[in-house]
């Protein structure tokens, strides 16, 4: 009898060892054994019909005049308490104080955290999660809020359909340094490895956002990482923010996805999810095509150069005309003087001609 019980106990232990681990115990990655293509196997919501990110095709968006301008609440009132920056193995996260929030939505949303997504190839090689007309930006910032009117905390809200509101900010590169992003990037070297945390000075979160908060795209979607809950009201701003090439390079090359004690270090790169099908969802816009039309930096440069060339050309033409007129004026004056001289000579000759002598009568 004892032998039978021992045998059954051994079988149960074997079954426990071979049972698939719970989803929360899975260490997912963007590539590899538990990469994006495998997320669905461990996280069923990742196969839902309302997943994020998406490609925003501007010709297929719908203008909604009811979309109000977003109002950051307390973003600039950071106080003196430091923020917490940490490397969770997937991205760099900054925890936000609960006095920060977001207005302009059907409910009040309280700030929870923000994080970044980037690529690995430098400028023009992608790195953003959302795309516009199939084109990627170099990186993307997400500011995450939870519905504090309906739910007590982030953990509860993230499982509900109307639980989260996330701001998406597309990041491009240029020549100028963005000092606002240095509030994060200058401290990445202190959290190079997964699970490392550091306190950093508090700063104005709104300085990270684009200046134009009135023009944006809105759709219902999901978390872009496992467990991919379809609980997010997404707001993707039309205006991009710019950082320098050096700032992008720091973002792409300074962090590791592995812990400090691990021998094989792996750079934390390409931490963005591929765009997902819309599946009949509609992406709404807060602006019309005309009001949302912006010139690119290249177009602005071309216009400026064109105007400058036009002005130079016009100046050359005007100068040529003036010079020609000035050259003709002396000639006309000379001709006039010659005419006056000829007239004077003719009159003089007429005066010098002798008058006919009178004839004597016989």
């Amino acid at each position: 009898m004892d032998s039978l019980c021992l045998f059954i106990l051994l079988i149960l232990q074997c079954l426990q060892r071979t049972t698939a681990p719970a989803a929360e115990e899975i260490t997912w990655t963007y590539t590899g054994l538990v990469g994006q293509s495998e997320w669905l196997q461990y996280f069923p919501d990742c196969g839902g019909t309302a997943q994020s990110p998406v490609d925003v095709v501007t010709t297929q968006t719908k203008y909604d005049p009811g979309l109000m301008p977003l109002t950051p609440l307390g973003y600039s009132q950071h106080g003196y308490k430091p923020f917490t920056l940490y490397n969770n193995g997937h991205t760099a996260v900054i925890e936000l104080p609960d006095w920060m929030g977001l207005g302009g939505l059907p409910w009040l949303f309280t700030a929870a955290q923000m994080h970044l997504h980037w690529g690995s190839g430098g400028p023009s090689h992608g790195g953003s999660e959302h795309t516009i007309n199939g084109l990627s930006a170099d990186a993307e910032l997400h500011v995450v809020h939870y519905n504090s009117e309906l739910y007590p905390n982030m953990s509860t809200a993230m499982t509900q359909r109307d639980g989260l509101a996330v701001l998406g900010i597309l990041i491009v590169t240029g020549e100028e340094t963005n000092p606002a992003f240095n509030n994060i990037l200058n401290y990445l070297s202190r959290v190079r490895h997964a699970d490392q945390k550091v306190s950093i000075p508090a700063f104005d979160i709104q300085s990270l956002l684009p200046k134009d908060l009135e023009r944006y795209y809105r759709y219902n979607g999901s978390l872009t990482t496992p467990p991919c809950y379809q609980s997010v009201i997404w707001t993707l701003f039309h205006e991009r923010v710019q950082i320098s090439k050096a700032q992008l390079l720091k973002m792409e090359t300074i962090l590791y996805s592995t812990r400090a004690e691990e021998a094989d270090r792996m750079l934390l790169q390409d931490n963005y999810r591929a765009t997902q099908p819309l599946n009949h969802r509609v992406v709404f816009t807060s602006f019309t095509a005309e009001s949302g039309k912006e010139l690119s930096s290249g177009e602005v440069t071309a216009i400026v150069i064109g105007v400058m060339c036009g002005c130079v050309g016009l100046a050359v033409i005007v100068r040529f005309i003036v010079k020609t007129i000035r050259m003709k004026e002396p000639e006309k004056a000379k001709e006039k003087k010659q005419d006056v001289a000829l007239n004077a000579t003719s009159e003089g000759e007429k005066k010098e001609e002798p008058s006919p002598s009178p004839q004597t009568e016989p």
Side-chain angles (χ1 to χ4, degrees), residues 251-306:
M251 192 185 301
E252 291 183 343
T253 59
I254 204 167
L255 296 183
Y256 292 101
S257 60
T258 48
R259 296 180 178 86
E261 62 271 16
E262 296 184 48
D264 297 328
R265 294 183 177 182
M266 294 184 61
L267 279 174
L268 178 46
Q269 296 180 325
D270 298 319
N271 61 343
Y272 60 94
R273 188 186 190 188
T275 54
Q276 305 296 302
L278 273 174
N279 293 321
H280 305 294
R281 284 176 290 170
V282 177
V283 177
F284 295 95
T285 66
S286 65
F287 59 96
T288 60
E290 291 76 17
S291 66
K293 187 176 182 181
E294 273 188 357
L295 296 175
S296 66
S297 58
E299 290 172 329
V300 172
T301 303
I303 290 173
V304 171
I305 293 174

Side-chain angles (χ1 to χ4, degrees), residues 101-123:
L102 191 62
L105 291 164
W107 303 276
L108 176 64
F109 285 80
T110 296
Q113 52 104 327
M114 63 182 180
H115 58 269
L116 291 155
H117 298 270
W118 58 85
S120 62

Side-chain angles (χ1 to χ4, degrees), residues 29 37 60 73 94 101 113 138 151 173 208 216 222 252 268-269 315 340 357 360:
T29 57
S37 59
Q60 297 176 7
L73 305 173
I94 291 183
Q113 52 104 327
D138 295 318
Y151 308 108
T173 52
L208 301 172
Y216 55 82
S222 73
E252 291 183 343
L268 178 46
Q269 296 180 325
V340 171
S357 55
T360 307

